[in-house]
């Protein structure tokens, strides 16, 4: 059952930092650490700063509750938003729950996920700042696909460095990006000094997402008019994604006459969970609402549930500031086969602080359960969830079952952040019985955390805004 | 701009045959012809009849204008219908037309195309008739995916014989079918006598869609409780697909306050074009509406624009009746590389008769133009069209441009019958410049038509209903 009225696309993003009852730990400038060979490979001079449009710099430090969405961005949002808010009646019936399950479906745009919300905004601000070309690194390609669309929309050229293994094994994300006129190369590529060196030394399969970002940065520094778009894990990315939660809150209220008791989102770096949950976290803080906001991470990458709350790097570029986050360490790797996405080693400082201050909850689930719930959702609702989104599906089902056991009948809202039609190889492994669960030992986590740099206690007066440079 | 009001899912399908100002040519029983080696391979006894549920038999001969949609089917329709009717404002702007372009989007269900409308209905009627298991043949897998969902919904087992080359090159359609619990095997398979023989004699790549149907039929005849679901080209498949046009007519009227001047649908066997166009053809016949209904076929398979109107076989099973159709002959093969779908050699007798009587129009376009329009549509509207659907996109753009040149500003409705996210290999070939246009020579068509069997003039008293058997 789809929401029947047509709410408006929000005119402003919701900036939860304006309402926080605590200060976010300040960032500290990057220090070169010996832990990451990719950073050494690049050989960039010390003291480099990312160049970020002033508008984004301001958004990172703003204490304004509502930040207006620029007209061209909002107009583009309107080409596919508001997205559907659906009551999952068939799923409810199939699991026999008394809970009411609602999902906000974000897969119906050209990128196939919620990431287009921030990709469009970022491309817009870079274009406004006079930038002519953006580079980025992408793993499986979801972020690259979204940024390619954003760049095409606002007249920017775009080059995506895609982890070579994904480039080979997921060729169709590459096709999608090329349809949006982006240039896509496998990383390590022959197009940068760092890429050529790694390729010669260790071959194509030595790449990873951190190294792809490294190559994108080298390209941006070497090419006039070019900047690096870091990705979807920044604070402004969460801000831009709050249209999800704002719309969902309006749709639940206007079309179904209720507010959610539980809000669920999957947790990678933060834009997925943050996008759906922040408006409700704001309601908790400002109005004492008792809504529970639950982030879902994979057991194979359990940063909130098993990570440490400390300063760490956000990427492999070696030039972005260190942030205080729940982290498993940027060198964290699992031994098992993890196909479910949400692999980022840490979680944005905003989400981390909210968890630290107990304003949100966190759960972790194994991928075999997650894929089973995804297949169930597909049979019931006719949408194949992206593996990332499937974590939220599974958590929603588990919360519904727990409520049934306790005689409660909550309204549960979850974010179905994208479709899985370009992730069918993972479903194939699930059907073949090749997906076990990834067991992460305490030792693995401890070994990885031991590589996180020790940093001096930050100067409390330093703000985010001075830790990066700016363009425009 | 999406339609804003919520119309109801129709309670009845529209049966245009009730309004036809002419009689459809009767079918005639199959005669064994030497042309198709696959049919000989199967070695079925003469006189076999397809077993079809009584409800479907009746629908094929009904003169009732409205045929009620059974409640369980309509309820399932309501899980994703009404589908969106969208005004393509961004596309209009990008091509600079004064025409108003509307598309009916059918890709948002679990099968990814309009074919689920009839697959659900067929599965329902077979289940009602006591059948426990359906078999079918599929080429690229779109029909198989839809039928698998239909079978899962109504508790039937399902086995799909998928052309081996597609099985290998398009593995993800197979994954989708397996998610709906269908058994999928490459055809020729080792599971039937015919399949094993062809496989041994000529290898896996000797299969085609006609042979896959042949295997599905052998399986159905050999397995108790099993029947063959022929596919989406039957008259009842067009009937079940009319929910598309009925909804679109209501949505255009209620939400946009107009009726289309031009209705466009891609033409494979007929359910796509027939589904969107039949209600408007009915308006022409009954109310003298001047709407133009245009079917679009690929230049590589030009049955309406260059085929002959004569009796031919509808599939390779050797047991289905012959129908009078526009056909290129069931042995028609193109020399060029044709990736755009819509490969069926003929077109249903209903659509053929409408064309013969000039109630509809037909155009054919080359695949390189079609893919260019599809890429343009993706950039503008954020939905990647299935190659089949892209033909309608291209025709709509061409009609808009023609109208601009003549100073007209028509409302153009077209069917975006499915998404192309499982067809990205074709887009890859387009981007690589590997797609030429398939030039079909008059000689090729003449040679193929020479293999169409000569049949005696049919007995006019014979009706469709007696040309097939029935179950239940």
């Amino acid at each position: 059952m789809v929401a029947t009225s047509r709410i408006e696309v929000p005119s402003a993003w919701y900036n939860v930092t304006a309402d926080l009852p605590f200060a976010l730990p300040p960032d500290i400038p990057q220090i070169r650490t010996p832990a990451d060979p990719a950073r050494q490979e690049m050989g960039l001079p010390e003291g480099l700063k990312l160049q970020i449009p002033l508008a984004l710099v301001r958004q990172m430090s703003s204490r304004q509750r509502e930040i207006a969405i620029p007209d061209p961005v909002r107009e583009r949002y309107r080409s596919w938003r508001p997205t559907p808010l659906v009551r999952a009646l068939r799923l409810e019936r199939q699991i026999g729950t008394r809970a009411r399950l609602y999902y906000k479906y974000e897969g119906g745009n050209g990128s196939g996920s919620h990431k287009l919300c921030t990709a469009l905004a970022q491309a817009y601000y870079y274009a406004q700042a006079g930038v002519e070309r953006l580079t980025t690194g992408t793993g499986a390609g979801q972020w690259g696909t979204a940024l390619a669309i954003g760049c095409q929309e606002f007249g920017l050229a775009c080059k995506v460095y895609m982890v070579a293994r994904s480039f080979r094994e997921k060729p169709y994300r590459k096709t999608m990006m090329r349809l949006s006129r982006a240039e896509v190369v496998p990383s390590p590529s022959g197009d940068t000094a760092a890429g050529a060196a790694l390729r010669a030394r260790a071959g194509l399969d030595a790449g990873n997402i951190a190294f792809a970002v490294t190559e994108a940065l080298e390209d941006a520094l070497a090419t006039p008019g070019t900047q690096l778009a870091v990705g979807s894990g920044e604070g402004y990315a969460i801000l831009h994604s709050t249209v999800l939660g704002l719309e969902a809150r309006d749709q639940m209220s206007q079309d179904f006459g209720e507010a959610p008791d539980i809000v669920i989102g999957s947790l990678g770096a933060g834009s997925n969970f943050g996008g759906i949950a922040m408006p409700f976290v704001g309601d908790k803080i400002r109005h004492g609402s008792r809504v529970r906001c639950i982030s879902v991470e994979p057991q194979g990458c359990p940063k909130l549930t098993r990570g440490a709350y400390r300063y760490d790097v956000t990427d492999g570029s070696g030039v972005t500031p260190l942030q205080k986050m729940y982290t498993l360490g940027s060198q964290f790797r699992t031994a098992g086969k993890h196909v479910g996405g949400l692999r980022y080693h840490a979680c944005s400082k905003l989400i981390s602080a909210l968890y630290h201050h107990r304003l949100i909850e966190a759960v972790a689930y194994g991928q075999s359960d997650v894929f089973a719930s995804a297949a169930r959702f597909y049979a019931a609702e006719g949408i194949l969830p992206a593996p990332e989104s499937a974590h939220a599906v599974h958590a929603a089902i588990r919360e519904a079952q727990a409520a049934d056991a306790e005689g409660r009948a909550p309204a549960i809202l979850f974010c179905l952040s994208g479709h899985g039609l370009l992730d069918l190889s993972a479903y194939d492994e699930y059907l073949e019985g090749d997906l076990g669960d990834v067991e992460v030992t305490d030792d693995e986590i401890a070994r990885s955390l031991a590589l996180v740099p020790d940093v001096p206690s930050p100067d409390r007066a330093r703000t985010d805004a001075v830790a990066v440079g700016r363009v425009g």
Side-chain angles (χ1 to χ4, degrees), chain A:
Chain A
M1 192 198 301
V2 179
T4 54
S5 71
R6 290 287 290 180
I7 60 158
E8 277 297 303
V9 172
S11 57
W13 295 301
Y14 171 64
N15 177 25
V16 73
T17 54
D19 291 323
L20 292 183
F22 51 81
L24 288 177
D27 298 351
I28 57 177
Q30 177 71 282
I31 50 168
R32 195 62 58 95
T33 69
D36 190 338
R39 251 172 284 152
Q40 297 178 306
E41 197 86 47
M42 187 163 57
L44 292 172
E46 293 283 340
L48 266 178
K49 287 181 174 179
L50 272 188
Q51 301 293 310
I52 293 178
L54 179 57
L56 292 176
V57 173
R58 285 191 175 139
Q59 286 174 6
M60 283 197 289
S61 59
S62 171
R63 301 290 292 178
Q64 210 182 317
R65 180 175 294 142
E66 296 201 327
I67 295 181
I69 303 173
D71 283 343
V73 175
R74 186 166 183 241
E75 192 196 325
R76 186 63 167 83
Y77 280 180
R78 286 168 59 89
S79 72
W80 88 94
R81 309 199 70 84
T83 58
L85 189 280
V86 186
R87 175 139 178 220
L89 285 171
R90 284 172 50 91
L91 180 65
E92 289 175 20
R93 210 155 41 225
Q94 287 184 19
I95 61 180
T97 184
R98 287 178 56 236
R100 294 171 305 292
L101 294 173
Y102 298 91
Y103 60 92
K104 178 75 169 163
Y105 180 48
E106 291 292 322
N109 66 66
S111 80
S113 84
H114 70 290
K115 290 192 174 173
L116 189 55
C117 297
T118 184
L120 277 170
Q122 291 186 42
Y124 169 79
Y125 288 121
Y126 277 101
Q128 287 294 106
V131 172
E132 292 163 4
R133 178 172 173 272
L134 287 177
T135 60
T136 199
T138 198
Q142 216 175 42
W143 165 246
T145 308
L147 190 68
I149 293 173
C151 286
Q152 185 181 29
E153 181 67 21
F154 293 111
L156 297 166
C158 181
K159 181 163 180 177
V160 180
Y161 293 84
M162 184 174 185
V163 175
R165 185 188 299 268
S166 290
F167 186 89
R168 190 176 59 238
E169 293 177 359
K170 302 190 175 185
Y172 297 142
R173 287 268 183 210
K174 174 194 67 184
T175 308
M176 297 293 286
M177 290 184 257
R178 293 185 61 203
L179 279 168
S180 301
R181 308 219 178 122
E183 185 185 356
V184 192
V185 291
S187 169
S189 75
D191 299 0
T192 67
L198 183 62
R199 203 165 170 154
R201 178 167 59 75
L204 265 175
D205 280 356
N208 62 23
I209 175 65
F211 189 80
V213 173
T214 300
E215 285 204 90
L217 179 63
E218 182 186 322
D219 178 329
L221 293 168
T223 316
T226 299
Q227 295 297 340
L228 165 73
V230 176
S232 60
E234 299 298 311
Y236 48 79
I238 296 176
L239 175 75
H240 303 155
S241 306
T242 56
V243 287
L244 277 62
L246 293 169
E247 286 180 8
R249 191 173 57 183
D250 280 359
Q251 288 167 316
M252 283 198 65
S253 158
Q254 289 186 31
D255 293 316
F256 299 102
E258 65 177 334
D261 301 296
I262 301 173
V263 176
I264 295 172
S266 306
L267 188 69
S271 70
N272 183 340
F273 171 70
I276 192 81
M278 287 310 103
F280 298 97
V281 169
D283 289 345
K284 275 174 89 86
I285 300 171
R286 296 169 62 206
H287 309 304
S289 133
R290 300 183 59 179
V291 60
R292 294 172 55 207
C293 295
I294 305 175
S295 73
V296 195
E297 54 193 23
Q299 270 179 3
C301 191
K303 46 245 186 164
L304 277 192
T305 53
R306 298 174 67 191
Y309 189 41
R310 55 181 291 189
Y311 278 90
D312 197 2
V313 299
T314 60
D315 61 57
S317 73
V319 297
T320 47
L322 291 150
Q323 302 190 346
K324 189 162 183 183
M325 309 179 290
Y326 279 89
T327 181
L328 297 164
S330 65
Q331 301 304 301
F332 178 75
R333 303 282 182 278
T334 55
K337 181 200 287 183
H338 169 57
V339 302
L342 309 173
R343 286 185 193 83
Y344 188 56
H345 67 281
C347 148
S348 85
K349 63 177 175 182
L350 170 63
I351 307 297
S352 293
L354 289 170
Y355 184 63
H356 182 68
H357 289 275
R358 299 174 186 270
L359 280 162
I360 63 169
E361 303 172 37
V363 293
Y365 290 113
Q367 62 188 355
S368 55
D369 285 347
V370 162
F371 273 84
S373 287
R376 192 173 210 179
F377 184 87
Y378 172 65
E381 300 292 323
I383 299 172
L384 190 72
E388 298 81 8
S389 320
H391 288 77
V393 173
H394 181 66
I397 292 173
R398 291 289 287 268
E399 289 297 326
Q401 289 169 333
D404 288 332
E406 295 168 14
R408 294 178 289 111
I412 301 174
L413 166 67
F414 63 99
C415 180
L416 193 70
S417 57
H419 67 69
L421 293 169
L422 299 180
D423 305 282
L424 280 162
S425 59
Y427 280 95
D428 214 34
E429 294 189 74
Y430 163 71
L431 288 169
E432 293 293 333
D434 289 346
L435 277 193
D437 283 319
V438 179
E439 303 294 341
V440 176
T441 66
D442 291 341
D443 258 15
E444 284 176 305
I445 294 175
R447 274 198 305 274
S448 172
L449 285 173
L451 297 171
V452 173
D454 272 322
V455 296
S457 183
D459 172 3
R460 301 291 302 184
R462 188 187 290 273
T463 71
D464 301 352
V466 300
V468 294
R470 63 178 174 89
V471 290

